[in-house]
Amino acid sequence: MRGVVLLGDRECYVKDFPDPIPGFGQVRVKMMASGICGSDLHLYRMTKEQAKSRGDRIPGHEPCGIVDMVGQGVKKVKEGDRVTVYHYLGCGHCEFCSAGNLMWCREAKGYGGPIDGSHADYVIADERNCVLMPDSVSFIDGAFIACPGGTAFSSMRKLDVKTGSNVAVFGLGPVGLSGVKIAKAMGGRVIGVDVIDLRLDLAMSMGADVVVNSQKEDAVSAIRNFTNGKGVSLAFEASGSTKGRTDIIHSLCRGGKAVFVGVGSNENVINPSQIIGSQLTLMGSFVLPLWMTYEMVNFLDNQKISFENAVTHRFSIDNASEAYKIFDEGKTGKVIFEWK
Ligand SMILES: [Zn+2]
Ligand SMILES: [Zn+2]
């Protein structure tokens, strides 16, 4: 099979690997869609030295495809099943794994990290990690569920978006754009904030009510205008920037809630007096639990929503080097590998 290998210093190539064979309790999933994520870029930008110690481990953790081979002991998943693959393998036994929170397992292994990932023709997955999708949910949407969409969905669940809730979304990359779509489907009024006009346009196509370019306009004032001076009750921070984090706290109304998922700046933006005075609830979030993946597949099916408008570039795995390069320039929506 073909698989991507990262060489460090923003270089990668496609290598021929032996086709993997599933072991006991495992299945082989033929990839149909697999996203490139911001966290893949951290690996893409590593030094040559760091890349050497990684070896030819295949990156990618947003797998979606069709099961084409099952190992011994597999009971539920069958050849031909359309599945999104939950991207953390856990020990399967601890208190976190038992509750479906595999990403908290002390032995959790993420695809593309310590185990081969999904920028390849096939991925080997534990049976329990495969979540069946109906035909109404596309392979690209399945790749979104595995990471950017799932991150946004679990965050919107934490915010508990209701009909008429005012929601600010900061950072309109694939995670923020997914957040716009989900918040709208849950009944929210959404204002999106970014510094790149293309991403603001994508947010409008995902259903945002209003968008703001925070390099041209003060985001906090725009949010006050959007809410008759009150501020938003709910906010989602996916930019990871100091400015986004600071602005989001100033944009909340009293009793407001925010979820932070954007990784980036390490500057301290929290003023405890403000949290106390305005009685804010500030939360962090990280992908989604396995059990919620089932809920999210149902949500997409029932609401008839798709994230595909957020995709600006689709590539064959053969053109991996061009795909990584374009996404690395930071001026795209979602960039995805697709198989026909
Ligand atoms: Zn990702
Ligand atoms: Zn565990």
Side-chain angles (χ1 to χ4, degrees):
M1 70 166 183
R2 297 164 297 175
V4 175
V5 174
L6 302 172
L7 296 170
D9 291 340
R10 296 179 154 94
E11 281 175 39
C12 66
Y13 76 108
V14 179
K15 177 176 168 171
D16 248 323
F17 288 85
D19 287 351
I21 305 294
F24 191 89
Q26 294 179 325
V27 305
R28 185 170 82 181
V29 183
K30 183 192 167 306
M31 288 298 97
M32 293 301 288
S34 176
I36 307 185
C37 182
S39 49
D40 294 318
L41 291 181
H42 297 304
L43 300 175
Y44 180 64
R45 294 167 187 161
M46 50 190 184
T47 62
K48 287 247 157 50
E49 210 48 46
Q50 290 167 321
K52 207 174 279 172
S53 67
R54 185 180 152 89
D56 54 8
R57 178 74 68 224
I58 299 167
H61 57 263
E62 302 179 358
C64 186
I66 300 172
V67 175
D68 85 328
M69 197 184 277
V70 301
Q72 281 190 344
V74 169
K75 294 196 178 107
K76 299 279 187 192
V77 176
K78 307 180 298 300
E79 274 180 41
D81 281 355
R82 304 171 78 252
V83 295
T84 173
V85 180
Y86 184 78
H87 84 241
Y88 279 98
L89 295 181
C91 74
H93 189 82
C94 70
E95 69 270 44
F96 302 120
C97 286
S98 302
N101 296 312
L102 278 64
M103 71 292 185
W104 290 343
C105 175
R106 288 174 201 91
E107 294 171 27
K109 295 189 186 88
Y111 283 96
I115 51 171
D116 277 332
S118 58
H119 293 168
D121 290 319
Y122 299 105
V123 145
I124 297 293
D126 283 2
E127 180 184 20
R128 74 174 301 197
N129 283 58
C130 294
V131 178
L132 191 67
M133 305 192 310
D135 290 344
S136 64
V137 179
S138 74
F139 291 116
I140 286 181
D141 286 327
F144 269 82
I145 290 170
C147 180
T151 299
F153 185 72
S154 63
S155 300
M156 291 305 161
R157 277 275 180 264
K158 285 180 184 175
L159 290 175
D160 194 18
V161 180
K162 299 242 169 40
T163 305
S165 300
N166 288 318
V167 187
V169 177
F170 278 62
L172 299 169
V175 174
L177 290 171
S178 303
V180 169
K181 191 83 183 190
I182 294 163
K184 283 305 294 179
M186 290 175 169
R189 288 180 72 232
V190 177
I191 178 164
V193 182
D194 203 291
V195 294
I196 297 172
D197 286 331
L198 166 77
R199 291 184 164 185
L200 299 174
D201 292 343
L202 290 172
M204 288 304 287
S205 81
M206 299 291 274
D209 294 275
V210 175
V211 290
V212 186
N213 185 328
S214 58
Q215 263 174 355
K216 299 178 186 162
E217 206 183 330
D218 178 43
V220 177
S221 321
I223 288 170
R224 297 273 160 197
N225 286 341
F226 181 66
T227 53
N228 295 326
K230 275 173 44 189
V232 282
S233 54
L234 307 174
F236 181 46
E237 210 304 303
S239 80
S241 68
T242 300
K243 174 134 175 58
R245 290 174 180 173
T246 313
D247 281 358
I248 220 162
I249 293 172
H250 289 288
S251 302
L252 289 169
C253 67
R254 291 203 165 169
K257 295 195 280 187
V259 171
F260 295 77
V261 300
V263 179
S265 159
N266 283 323
E267 279 181 68
N268 189 357
V269 297
I270 308 284
N271 172 354
S273 307
Q274 191 185 359
I275 301 173
I276 297 166
S278 297
Q279 297 172 63
L280 304 180
T281 305
L282 306 180
M283 296 172 271
S285 200
F286 184 65
V287 292
L288 80 174
L290 176 57
W291 59 266
M292 195 183 279
T293 307
Y294 284 84
E295 189 182 318
M296 185 170 180
V297 168
N298 287 336
F299 181 81
L300 294 194
D301 184 29
N302 293 335
Q303 298 286 329
K304 303 282 176 263
I305 61 167
S306 165
F307 302 111
E308 292 203 20
N309 276 2
V311 178
T312 53
H313 297 75
R314 298 165 187 238
F315 287 96
S316 151
I317 193 84
D318 287 327
N319 303 115
S321 135
E322 193 189 347
Y324 266 89
K325 184 170 180 291
I326 283 179
F327 190 52
D328 184 47
E329 286 163 6
K331 292 186 182 131
T332 64
K334 188 68 175 170
V335 178
I336 205 138
F337 293 117
E338 210 178 16
W339 286 256
K340 296 291 178 194

